[in-house]
Amino acid sequence: MTDLHCDYDVIIAGLGPTGLVLAHTLGMQGISVLVLEREPRFYGNARAVFTDGECMRIFQSIGMADRLLADMIEDVPIQVMRADRQVLATMLNPERPYGWSQSNFFYQPFLETALAEGLSRYPSVQVRRGREVLRFAQDGEGVWVEHQASAGSWGGAAGAATPPEGADAPASPPERTRARYLVGADGGRSVVRTQLGIGMQGTAFPSPWLVVDIKAKAGLQGLRHLPYFSFVCDPDCPTVNCVQPQGHHRFEFMLAPGQTKAQMEDPATVRGYLARWVNVDDFDVLRQLVYTFNALVADRWRQGRVLLAGDAAHMTPQFVGQGMNAGVRDAHNLGWKLAAVLRGQSGPALLDSYETERRPHVTAMIREAVRMKDFVSVSSPAKARVRDALFKLLTTAPWLGRQIRQGRYMPQPLLERGQYLGLPRRRRRGLEGRLSVQPRARGANGCLQRMDDPLGYRFTLLGAGVDPRTLLPAATRQWCADMGMGFGVVYRWGARPHGGIEARWPADLVELEDVSGAWYAALAQGGHGEGAVLVLRPDKFIFGVGRGSQLGAVVDALRQQLRTTPPA
């Protein structure tokens, strides 16, 4: 994959969750990657705590979901409480449209460590810790990146401490490395974004919060009375109570006017706040930090061969737990597109669809986070009473209450009309530009499995009771083979046809049975049924739907949008 004039296909600046998922996504496709991380070791503190079913599906696509789930708490109810701890509403949703629980809580150092260790599977991915990007310059064929050793935040000035194993010595001279693309996943204070001169628009909120991370001492169980995540809508002290695995726990307290950072971070003050909720002597305090938060989006996410992802491109307030998840979605969206361009399967214009697809969803999540912030942080007792009464009324309403209690108000993985790689969506429930569902399906070997696993990370033609290969002209089918496309058929449960003794399982066809009926139900909701064929992108968003002889035209539209050579 590496150009003769380049050392790597892609350089990623930053090894947080966004950079990690992007490195996995590129590495598993054989793309050569260099990751430059300023910190010689992981940050080591929990920031993100939550992930949803959609992002668990992304972790599944890189072969890491089951490993990460081992250090998570899944199916966690989310409660909204009054100051007296009376529960106003409990939000939970047992449905798993994407194959995973929709409410999962974790401890970020566990997640990052597992993802970093997982990169060892890819010989094409190199990670260099303790390297910070100084500057870069791009031309028509690549990007020169100058980087040098960094002490990061662990040792102050260069040479002040011994770097951890795997990090470069701070005294080493700057280096220049060339790649075909550079991705800035280097956080909210992104050096890459700053050097591009790209501004950010939005709001920086002045209201500070105190975050306190604690861990139960060995052998003690001081959290059994706090089984769920909760927003405590106390006008005197709005509080977030956050469960985490293996004895970890987080509290967040909104500061009152006049309270200072120094006062709130004082151990005696922290102890007083914690004592409202736990027996403080049963815990170690891992961190206490006063912070403010931002709701910002970069003016643009791509400039030539340099792209931004994660917090470098957008910053989301923490109130709906979607900051890290937004970066994971960025990496998933960008990863397959970079690989397609680098392989010559698409023109560079494909990379423009990264921002047009992701920006609307990011901004919708930010709006929802700000609404939740406004809801939780009401400090007027009178307004709080009105809020509580209105919220109680809404959550007990038949239809609206169910929507709220099941979290259906959150922005869904539906790409905005006219802004995505795919055929136009002509009806409200149309499937085009929508993330496909992932139920468990019965494979040809009789075993249940998540549907994405046998389909793989590639473009796929997936038929409803029909073999897509039989509907394509020979030249189009050859183009699909040249693109490495997969072919599959989903039968209704118990409807897989029998064959004679001479029949053989086709090597290039994945056969599945929809045991739960969820796949066919989603197909019907979109206005389709038996005989329809979904054209799936590698990220499992639906490019389009074809039937019979129309399928060739849908595949040809994909070729045109990717701007590849037409079949002969």
Side-chain angles (χ1 to χ4, degrees):
M1 295 292 174
T2 305
D3 186 280
L4 291 176
H5 304 291
C6 292
D7 304 297
Y8 296 91
D9 291 323
V10 179
I11 292 176
I12 301 171
L15 194 63
T18 302
L20 284 162
V21 173
L22 182 57
H24 273 273
T25 304
L26 295 172
M28 71 182 187
Q29 298 176 89
I31 304 301
S32 63
V33 178
L34 171 65
V35 186
L36 301 173
E37 166 55 42
R38 178 178 178 271
E39 296 294 332
R41 59 168 62 93
F42 275 126
Y43 178 65
N45 286 319
R47 290 155 290 172
V49 297
F50 170 87
T51 194
D52 54 26
E54 181 189 348
C55 286
M56 286 301 296
R57 187 181 188 180
I58 293 173
F59 293 136
Q60 176 193 346
S61 75
I62 61 174
M64 291 297 299
D66 289 319
R67 168 64 186 86
L68 298 178
L69 187 64
D71 289 323
M72 289 186 182
I73 307 173
E74 55 182 334
D75 291 314
V76 177
I78 296 173
Q79 295 186 325
V80 178
M81 294 182 174
R82 297 192 325 191
D84 59 5
R85 304 190 192 182
Q86 178 181 335
V87 176
L88 293 172
T90 298
M91 291 175 276
L92 43 82
N93 189 342
E95 297 177 1
R96 299 189 177 200
Y98 308 120
W100 299 88
S101 165
Q102 299 190 56
S103 177
N104 310 284
F105 284 80
F106 59 87
Y107 183 60
Q108 185 168 342
F110 295 162
L111 180 139
E112 290 189 341
T113 299
L115 286 174
E117 291 173 349
L119 289 177
S120 63
R121 297 176 293 177
Y122 310 117
S124 64
V125 176
Q126 181 182 5
V127 175
R128 294 186 65 182
R129 300 181 187 274
R131 302 295 301 182
E132 62 180 328
V133 173
L134 297 177
R135 60 189 64 86
F136 54 86
Q138 60 176 310
D139 52 48
E141 297 183 351
V143 186
W144 282 106
V145 178
E146 185 173 345
H147 50 97
Q148 71 174 10
S150 166
S153 59
W154 60 271
T162 302
E165 184 178 352
D168 289 359
S172 59
E175 299 177 22
R176 294 181 79 226
T177 307
R178 184 168 171 81
R180 294 173 67 180
Y181 288 92
L182 167 65
V183 179
D186 50 342
R189 298 177 181 177
S190 170
V191 171
V192 176
R193 185 188 67 239
T194 300
Q195 292 197 18
L196 287 173
I198 295 176
M200 302 191 84
Q201 305 301 320
T203 304
F205 293 92
S207 301
W209 285 68
L210 169 68
V211 58
V212 184
D213 288 321
I214 62 175
K215 186 179 189 303
K217 293 179 179 177
L220 299 179
Q221 297 183 10
L223 295 168
R224 294 182 64 178
H225 63 297
L226 300 174
Y228 308 137
F229 177 97
S230 59
F231 292 109
V232 184
C233 300
D234 180 355
D236 292 330
C237 183
T239 300
V240 177
N241 164 45
C242 182
V243 295
Q244 292 177 293
Q246 300 184 31
H248 290 273
H249 203 88
R250 169 179 294 178
F251 292 100
E252 298 182 12
F253 308 99
M254 192 177 88
L255 274 65
Q259 291 179 320
T260 66
K261 175 181 172 69
Q263 173 192 355
M264 293 301 291
E265 291 182 355
D266 182 86
T269 305
V270 170
R271 184 179 180 88
Y273 274 83
L274 288 177
R276 303 177 185 181
W277 294 93
V278 297
N279 182 351
V280 184
D281 292 332
D282 291 347
F283 296 87
D284 293 317
V285 177
L286 304 182
R287 178 178 66 149
Q288 62 253 28
L289 176 70
V290 170
Y291 70 96
T292 57
F293 51 89
N294 302 304
L296 303 171
V297 181
D299 295 333
R300 59 187 183 280
W301 300 6
R302 179 190 177 199
Q303 189 163 307
R305 290 179 172 269
V306 183
L307 300 105
L308 303 175
D311 284 357
H314 43 76
M315 286 181 265
T316 306
Q318 78 276 20
F319 292 92
V320 291
Q322 288 295 326
M324 182 204 76
N325 294 303
V328 169
R329 292 185 181 95
D330 288 351
H332 191 53
N333 185 292
L334 180 58
W336 74 263
K337 294 175 180 177
L338 274 171
V341 171
L342 289 163
R343 289 169 169 164
Q345 295 178 332
S346 178
L350 174 65
L351 300 177
D352 290 331
S353 69
Y354 158 59
E355 180 180 348
T356 60
E357 290 182 356
R358 288 290 303 127
R359 179 183 282 270
H361 191 266
V362 163
T363 54
M365 281 293 186
I366 289 175
R367 284 195 299 270
E368 198 58 48
V370 172
R371 289 193 191 104
M372 183 58 76
K373 184 274 300 181
D374 292 341
F375 178 89
V376 173
S377 59
V378 171
S379 56
S380 163
K383 291 181 179 179
R385 286 192 293 270
V386 173
R387 173 202 59 198
D388 296 348
L390 181 59
F391 183 67
K392 190 71 173 178
L393 178 66
L394 293 176
T395 54
T396 55
W399 180 84
L400 183 58
R402 185 170 60 253
Q403 298 297 106
I404 295 173
R405 293 192 305 273
Q406 294 186 354
R408 298 184 186 277
Y409 56 87
M410 293 291 289
Q412 299 300 305
L414 179 66
L415 302 176
E416 191 168 290
R417 279 191 171 93
Q419 301 295 318
Y420 62 87
L421 181 88
L423 295 181
R425 186 168 56 251
R426 304 191 184 281
R427 50 186 291 173
R428 187 173 69 87
R429 293 181 177 267
L431 299 180
E432 297 86 355
R434 188 182 298 274
L435 184 61
S436 61
V437 297
Q438 186 196 200
R440 284 186 176 269
R442 188 175 185 268
N445 62 358
C447 296
L448 287 178
Q449 55 198 309
R450 295 185 180 94
M451 188 174 283
D452 290 356
D453 289 338
L455 297 179
Y457 191 77
R458 56 184 175 174
F459 284 101
T460 302
L461 304 185
L462 189 60
V466 61
D467 181 350
R469 302 170 305 168
T470 65
L471 306 177
L472 296 174
T476 302
R477 184 171 170 180
Q478 183 59 51
W479 179 81
C480 291
D482 293 342
M483 289 287 291
M485 282 192 183
F487 300 96
V489 55
V490 181
Y491 300 106
R492 297 183 187 275
W493 190 20
R496 185 179 167 201
H498 293 268
I501 195 169
E502 73 282 355
R504 295 290 184 269
W505 182 14
D508 60 344
L509 182 69
V510 176
E511 294 182 298
L512 301 166
E513 290 179 63
D514 181 19
V515 174
S516 69
W519 191 83
Y520 271 93
L523 194 68
Q525 197 170 49
H528 300 280
E530 204 86 24
V533 178
L534 303 184
V535 180
L536 299 178
R537 305 180 346 176
D539 58 6
K540 300 302 180 285
F541 277 85
I542 300 169
F543 175 89
V545 187
R547 175 183 290 273
S549 60
Q550 301 172 347
L551 180 60
V554 176
V555 175
D556 191 56
L558 171 62
R559 178 193 60 77
Q560 292 175 4
Q561 291 193 28
L562 291 175
R563 294 173 176 82
T564 64
T565 304

